[in-house]
């Protein structure tokens, strides 16, 4: 047992100043108390933020698709560029890119990541000698950096609604339910004992997974673990909604809720385009909406109906998705700002007389913990010791107390205020530095040079 | 004459790698050439970015208004909070806050700022012993940090359209045209010889300045300097548009263009709510649209009609305005992202087959130079030596060349890539540090503690 003292600690019951967090040898919080005991860390201790949606390899594409093509540019033209990039990525590159990304995530204040992992096979579509080769590489990158990983092997089985054939680049993603479940089972067996690792399953989307295949996959997962998380992309693009209606007569969220037993273990990623009825229905399931504001803006997806969803009591979390940005601050800030631009009002997410920063931060912690299926998201006994400290001496936080700290963090400025990061009881970032960051950065640079050459 | 060598230099004719910039003793660029000569600085040399709209004291409010009030929250409730804050600000506090802000601007890559300066008088509305006291404090802060300042004393003469009386907090802003022109003239005489200083005039808005008062002020400015910049807030809020129509029968931009000789010396700040006709008409004047995407999002103003305005050949620049964010990256990124969210397409600002980052960066340099009335915005002989270097060794820039560097800077990630900053031939930031940043930060913290107490 080690006790760490901070200038302030955010607990589910409010702020302690100063406060002490006791961390057990099992990496869990043993207790949280007022006052300073044990090793002084200082700073403002917050729960680490889960990142509920990641396609790690896309970090290497950040900045490479910000040019207009010859015709109209959209999500669908972006996807073609992404497919071309995927064709050149082997296991070594995927691991180097993931390590760089996870290191950036930790330094930004993310302590856990749900990796929506769909790059399974070799460029020609054949499986690697180890069917779980690419999953192992992502897991190795997480292990090296110390971030907690919820691995979600992705089921990708069709090129469009109604079982349309897959295109060339999609060969690397393709599995039937049985083969995908073998990857899930393999990773469970090899890594299940690691408290920083969890495995679930991700049907890619209703367009890439037909109803029978989806039912088979969920049944197979249930046979292994009835609590394992299930994530799915849904209603990100209006074209996807139109195609779904043309195919099935129903909209994607509507149809998923009708055909699956969607509950708290589910994370519906994006869910951008919902009717008011769908919005209320999704909120009522207890599933988490996986919101990725920076990616959804970069791809021109649209704005999530946040206000109606919060009013209906819906759960949410944030993800950096394509990793054009890697910052819980930018996700939370622009989640709120998008709503302000749409409604021409301010402080959309806050209840009356309360802080918008605190409300969004708390919501994303709760939903992110649910979606990563990790006992995290709050500094209280029994949870994983996932802790982020902000620099209390930074001018941006000068004179700020309690929830005003969260407002300042989310809404004021561009300095990275994160100083120290602990995951599962282990310090992985101290004074803004990860011990492996130079080595990981060099390997990333070499990888990028090879990919460009 | 000193020559500085960089790994890459962005010039109006394209990229040099490596390149050398020769800086004269007058603080201007004497020449730019391929190859490495003289003192090696390294990194990627870009023109410094002008920040065309600033209310410096509002930096101290960042993060303090992100709570819902008892009723519906909007720009107008935010303004009440701002007025309450203004009531407590004296000259010392204004100077300390401005110095902190300008230091942050430099470190983010802004090299010049147009200060829309409206806090002229003591809290009871009486003028300070020196009528230009507050203008001097802002100017002193700029001088201490080294940022180039375009001071725009603000004419504020009414509480609403049609000469409505001013409210209590507006006493500190109030001047008639004569008194405002005395502040302009005073600052021109005292500081006009400083190449890092320029003075213009800012009628606050059509609601705060009636037609005769506006005509008097412009005539008075012309008598001093026919090229001095004129900035005005316009069409930021739909209520403002409606009130203007009710008062005059015309919309704000329409009415301004009808009644004033608006040309390239003008900067119309926000110009958010325009009809297609107004958008084309504004573009045709050669005036600069002063866009402030982070503030416009924070205040729920709405989205500028960027696509139509660029198609019509309009000029634009960026400003950090209320300083909830202080980053040219976040302004440019979300200027584009707002358009993507509205149109559900990508790369809105780029011409076919070209880079969005490069297009927006170039536009904001050109318009920002115009709006600050400073010979800046390009690395070429005769311009001020305002240079920003990006860290070429950063993993985010690995393998990137030419315009892909600008796309990566604007659209990939959250690290501050700015390493060195020169203003008017003088290095003010080296390796990410400003020599005064600790002292300025301590004074800012003391000021914030006093204001909170």
């Amino acid at each position: 047992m080690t006790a760490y003292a901070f200038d302030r600690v955010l607990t589910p019951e409010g702020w302690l100043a100063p406060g002490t967090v006791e961390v057990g040898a099992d990496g869990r919080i043993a207790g949280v108390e007022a006052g300073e005991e044990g090793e002084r860390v200082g700073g403002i201790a917050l729960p680490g933020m889960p990142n509920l949606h990641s396609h790690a390899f896309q970090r290497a594409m950040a900045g490479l698709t910000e040019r207009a093509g010859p015709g109209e540019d959209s999500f669908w033209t972006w996807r073609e560029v992404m497919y071309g990039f995927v064709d050149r990525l082997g296991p070594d590159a995927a691991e180097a890119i993931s390590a760089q990304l996870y290191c950036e995530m930790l330094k930004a204040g993310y302590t856990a990541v749900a990796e929506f992992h769909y790059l399974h096979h070799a460029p020609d579509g054949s499986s690697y000698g180890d069917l779980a080769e690419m999953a192992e590489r992502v897991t190795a990158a997480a292990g090296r950096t110390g971030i907690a990983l919820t691995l979600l092997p992705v089921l990708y089985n069709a090129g469009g609604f109604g079982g349309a054939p897959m295109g060339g680049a999609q060969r690397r993603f393709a599995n039937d339910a049985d083969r995908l479940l073998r990857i899930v089972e393999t990773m469970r067996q090899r890594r299940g004992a690691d408290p920083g690792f969890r495995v679930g399953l991700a049907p890619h989307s209703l367009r890439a997974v037909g109803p029978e295949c989806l039912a088979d996959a969920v049944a197979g997962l249930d046979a292994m673990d009835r609590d394992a998380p299930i994530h799915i992309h849904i209603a990100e693009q209006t074209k996807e909604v139109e195609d779904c209606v043309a195919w099935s007569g129903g909209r994607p969220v509507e149809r998923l809720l009708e055909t699956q037993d969607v509950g708290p273990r589910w994370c519906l990623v994006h869910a951008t385009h919902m009717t008011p009825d769908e919005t209320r229905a999704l909120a009522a399931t207890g599933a988490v909406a996986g919101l990725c504001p920076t990616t959804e803006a970069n791809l021109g997806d649209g704005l999530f109906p946040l206000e109606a969803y919060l009013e209906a009591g819906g759960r949410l979390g944030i993800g950096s998705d394509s990793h054009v940005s890697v910052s819980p601050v930018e996700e939370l800030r622009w989640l709120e700002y998008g709503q302000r631009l749409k409604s021409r009002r301010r402080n959309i997410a806050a209840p009356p007389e309360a802080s918008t920063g605190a409300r969004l931060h708390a919501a994303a912690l709760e939903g992110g913990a649910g979606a990563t299926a990790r006992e995290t998201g709050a500094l209280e006994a029994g949870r994983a010791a996932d802790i982020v400290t902000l620099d209390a001496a930074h001018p941006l936080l000068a004179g700020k107390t309690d929830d005003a700290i969260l407002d300042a963090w989310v809404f004021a400025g561009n300095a990275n205020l994160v100083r120290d990061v602990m995951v599962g009881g282990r310090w992985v970032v101290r004074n803004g530095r990860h011990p492996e960051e130079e080595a990981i950065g060099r390997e990333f640079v070499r990888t990028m040079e090879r990919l460009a050459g």
Side-chain angles (χ1 to χ4, degrees), chain A residues 23 26 165 408 422 424 429 451:
Chain A
V23 177
D26 61 354
M422 171 182 279
V429 171
L451 288 170

Side-chain angles (χ1 to χ4, degrees), chain A residues 232-356:
Chain A
I232 187 168
H233 287 139
I234 201 154
E236 179 177 7
Q237 287 282 322
T238 48
K239 177 177 183 301
E240 175 197 339
V241 175
E242 291 155 14
D243 290 352
C244 186
V245 171
W247 164 63
S248 72
R251 300 168 58 87
V253 171
E254 180 184 24
R255 185 161 168 86
L256 181 73
L257 299 192
E258 279 169 11
T259 55
Q260 290 290 321
D261 182 23
V262 172
R265 78 194 287 204
W266 283 75
C267 177
L268 275 66
V269 180
H270 306 304
T272 309
H273 300 289
M274 294 193 288
T275 64
D277 281 350
E278 284 178 299
T279 305
R280 283 187 295 270
L282 175 58
T285 64
V288 176
L291 307 181
C292 309
T294 62
T295 294
E296 290 155 7
N298 184 282
L299 296 181
D301 291 342
L303 295 167
F304 179 79
L306 181 68
E307 199 169 2
Y309 185 71
L310 287 175
E311 269 174 27
R315 299 169 75 205
L316 64 84
I318 52 168
S320 56
D321 190 356
S322 70
H323 314 301
V324 284
S325 293
V326 184
S327 158
V329 166
E330 192 171 355
E331 302 300 341
L332 294 173
R333 179 183 295 175
W334 285 94
L335 174 58
E336 166 72 18
Y337 280 179
Q339 305 296 315
R340 295 188 189 186
L341 286 167
K342 186 165 67 172
S343 68
R344 296 185 189 154
R345 291 182 292 113
R346 300 185 76 246
N347 292 309
I348 305 301
E353 313 272 5
S355 145
T356 302

Side-chain angles (χ1 to χ4, degrees), chain A residues 15 28 36 97 121 164 184 200 299 366 384 392 399 415 423 429:
Chain A
W15 290 86
R28 291 178 182 270
E36 291 196 70
I97 295 164
H121 308 306
V184 172
L299 296 181
E366 192 284 324
V423 181
V429 171

Side-chain angles (χ1 to χ4, degrees), chain A residues 120-138:
Chain A
H120 298 294
H121 308 306
D124 66 359
S126 64
S127 57
Y128 288 106
D130 177 2
L131 187 61
E133 170 75 23
M134 294 294 266
E136 283 288 355
R137 296 307 193 104
V138 165

